[in-house]
Amino acid sequence: MRAIITGIGHYVPEKRLTNKELEMMVQTDNDWIVSRTGIKERRILDKDKGTSFMATKAAQVVLEQRNISPEELELIIVATSTPDMLVPNTAALVQKELNAKYCWGFDINSACSGFICALATAAQFIETGRHKNVMVIGADKMSSITDYEDRNTCILFGDAAGAVLLESSKKKECGIQDFILHLDGSGDKYLKMEGGGSLCPASHETVDKKMHYVYQDGKNVYKYAVTGMADVTIDIMKKNNLTGKNIKLFIPHQANYRIIDAITKKLNLDQDQVVINIDKYGNTTAATIPLAMSEAYQNGRMKRDDWIVIAAFGGGFTWGSLLLKWAMN
Ligand code: UT7
């Protein structure tokens, strides 16, 4: 059995936060943000809504596109670092909203690599024959953990969700072919959000120390991200006897335009082989890849039997790549 993507969709909030608006919030300017990151604007979800709202919307797009009812879903996996709450998991909230009566589900917290981890996990349930379908969602409301007084981070992040439906196929040559995933906890000091967990539960002190906001040592993460994402992409292509010429689209995690550009050069890919939408949405963590994939599909950039490689790097550190042969028309 192979796991193939049979539906894909995304949701972004309507509200935009532009660089001009950020200029009025922190000491920054549009030229710095565009030249250092490639970001022009990002989307911000309403304060009274959580990540599950966006995740549900994206899943509904997929169900409608595939024309199946929520009752047919067997498993929901949500990759997120910004769950609505610690318990219950986001998958449960999505299940309730969808009214997907006969499925189970769980969340995966792997920061920006979350969607690849979720896709790789979901594929195992399909390949073993345990499940006929899995809804895989990457969603993050980064605005809920972003300090809009910290110019190092507030210019980077945005809110979004993307989802795919995985189903089984007997055709060995299509769908998810391979993945390589890595974890190195020594990266914990460079990218983290310490407050609100079991080690530092919420208190006046954690709030005063701004521990409920994401912290990033951007320079260090940048270095590791370029090397990590480029190497793991080269590794998966080599392992599967492919070169850049065989790849129709490379869909990288969207953290910084310069990171993507550096990797594109390392991989010897042409610009038109790479999906970039960071200018419109910023870094939406677990949502960047399904969002970019969904837009690429809508724009007709992926056709049946195209080789697609996705790669991500994020907090942990976690990083990885996944190779698939596109199976939709
Ligand atoms: O998604 C998870 C993985 N995350 C990533 O891959 C992100 C990796 N990191 C990055 O994308 C980049 O490091 C950043 C975009 C976060 C920062 O870019 P940088 O080129 O590494 O800038 P920097 O941190 O070295 O800062 C350069 C200068 C500093 O000033 P000094 O110390 O040279 O005087 C910063 O204070 O730019 C300053 N700066 C800013 N200036 C205007 C930092 N943020 C801003 C800002 N506006 N928003």
Side-chain angles (χ1 to χ4, degrees), residues 4-303:
I4 59 169
I5 292 176
T6 57
I8 180 158
H10 67 267
Y11 172 83
V12 293
E14 275 173 29
K15 187 173 179 289
R16 292 158 202 260
L17 177 61
T18 64
N19 292 350
K20 279 270 165 251
E21 287 169 283
L22 281 165
E23 282 180 3
M24 290 182 274
M25 296 159 70
V26 289
Q27 207 182 358
T28 190
D29 62 86
N30 176 57
D31 291 348
W32 191 96
I33 301 173
V34 173
S35 65
R36 304 309 287 168
T37 71
I39 302 168
K40 292 180 181 154
E41 60 181 32
R42 46 313 274 138
R43 301 299 179 98
I44 304 294
L45 186 64
D46 296 344
K47 279 222 156 49
D48 64 348
K49 296 188 174 78
T51 294
S52 71
F53 175 83
M54 298 187 291
T56 304
K57 290 272 188 201
Q60 280 166 338
V61 172
V62 173
L63 290 176
E64 209 164 289
Q65 183 192 67
R66 180 73 181 100
N67 198 20
I68 68 166
S69 76
E71 283 89 8
E72 290 173 72
L73 281 184
E74 297 189 3
L75 171 61
I76 297 172
I77 305 179
V78 180
T80 187
S81 304
T82 51
D84 288 28
M85 52 195 88
L86 287 179
V87 180
N89 61 31
T90 316
L93 303 173
V94 172
Q95 180 274 335
K96 181 179 75 173
E97 283 306 310
L98 290 177
N99 202 15
K101 285 188 196 132
Y102 307 109
C103 72
W104 66 292
F106 55 90
D107 289 5
I108 285 183
N109 174 347
S110 252
C112 301
S113 312
F115 184 74
I116 298 189
C117 291
L119 207 50
T121 305
Q124 309 312 299
F125 286 103
I126 302 276
E127 286 173 19
T128 55
R130 168 61 71 169
H131 285 304
K132 283 200 291 294
N133 65 49
V134 187
M135 180 69 76
V136 186
I137 305 171
D140 269 302
K141 184 186 179 186
M142 291 305 291
S143 63
S144 68
I145 58 165
T146 298
D147 178 1
Y148 287 96
E149 293 180 349
D150 175 11
R151 70 176 184 172
N152 291 299
T153 50
C154 74
I155 55 139
L156 298 172
F157 296 109
D159 305 335
V164 299
L165 186 71
L166 276 193
E167 290 186 79
S168 57
S169 166
K170 288 200 177 96
K171 285 193 194 156
K172 282 261 176 212
E173 65 284 358
C174 64
I176 294 175
Q177 299 291 314
D178 201 3
F179 59 84
I180 301 175
L181 288 162
H182 296 289
L183 179 65
D184 179 0
S186 66
D188 62 346
K189 51 189 168 295
Y190 301 121
L191 183 44
K192 58 186 173 185
M193 198 199 83
E194 291 180 290
S198 58
L199 185 60
C200 305
S203 67
H204 288 293
E205 193 191 348
T206 62
V207 172
D208 290 344
K209 288 185 171 167
K210 295 195 163 197
M211 288 167 73
H212 299 273
Y213 293 128
V214 67
Y215 162 83
Q216 175 170 247
D217 172 348
K219 245 190 176 55
N220 263 304
V221 178
Y222 187 101
K223 263 190 335 219
Y224 287 107
V226 171
T227 315
M229 264 164 75
D231 287 354
V232 80
T233 306
I234 290 167
D235 288 349
I236 205 163
M237 291 199 299
K238 269 196 187 146
K239 195 175 154 208
N240 290 276
N241 298 317
L242 298 171
T243 69
K245 287 197 174 58
N246 304 113
I247 302 302
K248 177 68 184 295
L249 278 188
F250 173 56
I251 308 179
H253 169 53
Q254 313 277 313
N256 186 316
Y257 175 79
R258 289 184 298 134
I259 295 179
I260 299 172
D261 192 47
I263 297 169
T264 303
K265 287 186 177 124
K266 274 184 171 225
L267 298 176
N268 255 328
L269 296 174
D270 294 333
Q271 294 279 345
D272 64 359
Q273 288 177 284
V274 184
V275 182
I276 300 176
N277 64 2
I278 190 170
D279 50 321
K280 296 189 289 180
Y281 306 118
N283 183 348
T284 57
T285 304
T288 62
I289 290 176
L291 172 57
M293 190 183 268
S294 176
E295 286 199 334
Y297 177 65
Q298 281 181 353
N299 296 333
R301 293 181 73 184
M302 297 188 291
K303 295 273 179 309

